[in-house]
Every structure is written in C-alpha cells, then in structure tokens.
C-alpha cells in the first residue's frame, strides 16, 4: 500500500493534491502535458478536472475521499486523455465516483487500482456519453462497483479482478446501459474479467450490457474471457439484454444464477461452461425480462453440469431456449452441447425449450437430466435433432 508522504513531500492544495499537480491541471493552452502525482496519501475535499491532451500518472498513490464529490473528471468536449499508474482509493461511502468521464473522446484509463468504500450503487469509474474510451489494467475491490457506462460507444473494459466480495455494492460490477436519450450505443467490448461474488452479490448481473425497454438495441457487443463465481439469489454472471450483433465467448461460471443470459438477436455464443448454476449455464431469452422477439442465435461448445436446480419446467435445464409470454425466440442452432447431471440429482433436463420457441436445431450434443434429456414445450415440429 502507498505510504503517507513524509514532511518533505509536496504540500497538499485545498483539494488534497500537491500544488504543482493542481497548477498543471488548471493550466490553459492546447499543448500536451504530462503530469505525475508523487507517491503519498492525499485526502481529497473537492474535485479537479483533467483537460484535453493530458497524461496523468499516479506513482503509487493513496486517495482518501473527505467529501461526496468526484475525485477527478473530464468535462464535455475533452479529448485525448490518459490516466495510468498505481492507485489505492478509499471512498467515504457517499462520493458519486472516483473518475467521472463526461462527453469526452479518446480517453485511456490503465490503472493498477485497489478500490474500497464507494457509496451504494456508485462506481469507481463512470463513463457517460463518451466515444472511444478504454479502461484496463488491474481493477480490484471487495465492496464496490468498478465500471459503469451509460450512452457511450466504442468502449473497451478489461482487467477487472475483483472479490471475494464481503459487501453487496448494489449493482453490477461492470455495467453498460443505453437509455436511448442520446442516440443508440454501439461497439462495446468487455473482456478478461474475473469476479468472485463471495456469495454476497445479489442485486444485479455481475457483467451486464443492456438498453432500456423501448429504446434502440445496443449494436456490436462482445464479451470474452470471463470467470465469475459465487453470486447470491437471482444474480447472473453475464447478462446481454436488448442488444444486437453479439459475440460471447470463453465464459466460465460457478454457483451463480444464469451463467450467460442472452436476450439479443444475431448472437454467437461459444465456449461457455457453467457448474452448479441455479438456473442455466446458457439461456437464450428470458421468461420475465424479454421485451422483444429475438432471432438468429447460435451456441457452440457449451458445457452445463448440475445446473437448473432452482427452477422447474424448461428453466430446470442446463441449457434453455426461453421467452416471455408475449415474445418469441426463434431460429436457434445449438451445437456440441454437453449438458448433464453428475449424479448429484440437481439438473432436471439437459435442454429446455419454451412453448413460443421456433425453429430450434440441436446437433452433436449430449443431453442428460434426472427427469430426462429434453423438455420441449414448443412441440416436435419446432425442434430438429441431429447426431
């Protein structure tokens, strides 16, 4: 952990940062600037802004928030900012965010950061109405959300290694939302995420990408290389809802609700493994949250073991094709599924198909459950089984 600065360290300004740092952040002009925050502990009582063309480097710094303000933010119109280095962040349970990126373009955040004490539902990094933002490094916490994105495009999030959680932060650890108020969002890339929920996370999907009901779907979404375990109640590992043109690959989940829940059209899912999921290892569609028809769905190389224990009917399967009462899920291809019960008598069916599912093809799959390999409520004319 960073050490408290010695007496010879730079004198803190009114915001807690060294005077030289504040002067550099406030400087006018358009020339690029490279600002270093020296190693030490700084108690923050007010926010500072990061201007365009700035590279801000934390040299093994500890930030302790003493107010409900944001620590650092970009203003609308800011461009070409890089934030990097090593940082320990201690919130006071009331601040809005540590870093707030607002209507900015070309922002890179690459931090080795240990985060604690954010307020309920508050995220370490918020990204609002931005384009071309990358967040990565090594972001960890045991009590706080880490990244919240709203109404933004061309956003990449990686390097989250969080948990085991001891406190529920009240929302997803990584969440992307499109409200539709500022146009459609597109180009969301989330990868290399590891979260242990500590059997505490119980409020929202750990990694979620979703548009508001009635607004344009989020286009071009990729979620890759995630390992998520130990959530509580109805909390899924990965949720992709009201999106289109989706790729999900290499997701491992254990002791969660749904491993991967996809309510999206034109989706490709590969390399999913779910163990002891209370619902499914993979679900296309949802009986409650689905608000529109979804079509053109492909899943390959899916493993479900001892899943579906918390539900009956088709939702008690390791893999399921679902829908709400007013929607359809159609044109679904499932290849190389291995969906089985280990002998623990937890998984009722290998595959469940809801009554409003249409045109489901299953190829080269092994399906087993304590009540049977398959429960098909859509009828035999909607299902084709091929070796």
């Amino acid at each position: 952990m960073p050490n408290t600065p010695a007496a010879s360290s730079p004198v803190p300004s009114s915001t807690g940062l060294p005077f030289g740092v504040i002067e550099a952040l406030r400087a006018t002009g358009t020339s690029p600037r490279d600002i270093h925050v020296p190693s030490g502990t700084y108690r923050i009582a007010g926010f500072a802004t990061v201007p365009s063309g700035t590279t801000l480097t934390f040299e093994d710094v500890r930030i302790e928030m003493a107010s409900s303000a944001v620590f650092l933010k970009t203003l609308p119109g800011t461009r070409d900012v890089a934030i990097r280095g090593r940082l320990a962040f201690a919130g006071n349970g009331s601040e809005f965010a540590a870093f707030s990126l607002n209507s900015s373009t070309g922002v890179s955040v690459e931090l080795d950061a240990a985060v604690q004490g954010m307020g309920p539902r508050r995220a370490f990094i918020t990204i609002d109405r931005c384009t071309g933002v990358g967040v990565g490094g090594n972001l960890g916490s045991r009590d706080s959300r880490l990244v919240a994105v709203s109404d933004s495009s061309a956003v990449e999030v990686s390097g989250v290694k969080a948990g085991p959680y001891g406190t529920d932060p009240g929302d997803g650890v990584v969440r992307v939302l499109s409200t539709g108020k500022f146009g459609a969002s597109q180009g969301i890339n989330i990868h290399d995420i590891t979260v242990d929920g500590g059997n505490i996370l119980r409020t929202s999907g750990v990694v979620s990408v979703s548009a508001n009901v009635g607004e344009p779907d989020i286009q071009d979404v990729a979620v890759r290389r995630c390992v998520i375990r130990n959530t509580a109640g109805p909390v899924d590992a990965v949720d992709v809802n009201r999106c289109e043109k989706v790729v999900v690959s290499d997701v491992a989940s254990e002791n969660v609700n749904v491993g991967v829940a996809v309510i999206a059209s034109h989706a490709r899912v590969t390399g999913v493994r779910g163990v002891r999921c209370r619902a499914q290892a993979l679900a296309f569609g949802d009986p409650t949250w689905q608000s529109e028809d979804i079509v053109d769905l492909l899943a390959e190389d899916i493993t479900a073991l001892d899943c579906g224990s918390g539900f009956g009917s088709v939702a008690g399967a390791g893999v399921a094709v679902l829908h709400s009462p007013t929607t359809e899920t159609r044109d679904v291809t499932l290849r190389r599924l291995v969906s089985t019960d280990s002998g623990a008598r937890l998984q009722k069916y290998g595959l469940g198909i809801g009554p409003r599912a249409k045109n489901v093809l299953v190829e080269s799959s092994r399906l087993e459950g304590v009540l049977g390999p398959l429960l098909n409520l859509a009828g035999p004319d909607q299902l084709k089984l091929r070796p």
Side-chain angles (χ1 to χ4, degrees), residues 341 343-350 368-373:
D341 184 271
R345 301 189 64 80
L346 296 173
Q347 184 165 302
K348 299 170 185 67
Y349 302 98
E368 298 174 358
V370 295
L371 298 182

Side-chain angles (χ1 to χ4, degrees), residues 210-334:
S210 180
N212 277 351
V213 175
E215 301 299 337
D217 290 351
I218 300 177
Q219 302 284 320
D220 298 316
V221 174
V223 181
R224 298 183 173 95
R225 298 187 299 278
C226 298
V227 178
I228 299 172
R229 58 175 66 91
N230 299 331
T231 68
V235 172
D236 301 337
V238 173
D239 284 330
V240 181
N241 191 357
R242 291 184 288 276
C243 297
E244 189 169 352
K245 300 177 184 176
V246 171
V247 174
V248 178
S249 65
D250 301 314
V251 175
S253 61
E254 182 176 356
N255 190 29
V256 300
N257 192 54
V258 180
V260 175
V262 175
I263 312 174
S265 290
H266 312 298
R268 304 291 180 263
V269 180
T270 61
V272 167
R273 176 178 173 82
V275 178
R276 292 186 297 280
C277 298
R278 294 178 290 280
Q280 302 80 47
L282 168 66
F284 281 135
D286 187 273
T288 302
W289 302 109
Q290 186 169 337
S291 60
E292 58 192 19
D293 294 350
I294 58 174
V295 302
D296 183 24
L297 309 169
L298 170 66
E300 297 179 311
D301 301 308
I302 311 299
T303 300
L305 180 65
D306 294 337
C307 295
S309 60
F311 294 87
S313 189
V314 294
V319 177
V321 181
L322 305 171
H323 52 78
S324 66
T326 59
T327 62
E328 293 183 352
T329 298
R330 60 181 184 269
D331 303 330
V332 181
T333 299
L334 307 172

Side-chain angles (χ1 to χ4, degrees), residues 18-53:
F19 280 126
V21 172
I22 294 300
E23 290 171 352
L25 291 173
R26 290 175 176 169
T28 59
T30 58
S31 59
R33 66 202 78 189
D34 191 353
I35 303 171
H36 290 254
V37 182
S39 177
T41 297
Y42 303 99
R43 190 163 175 81
I44 305 300
F47 72 86
T49 60
V50 183
S52 294

Side-chain angles (χ1 to χ4, degrees), residues 15 63 101 141 165 175 205 376:
T15 64
I63 298 297
L101 311 179
S141 182
Y165 275 80
R175 183 172 184 180
N376 175 20

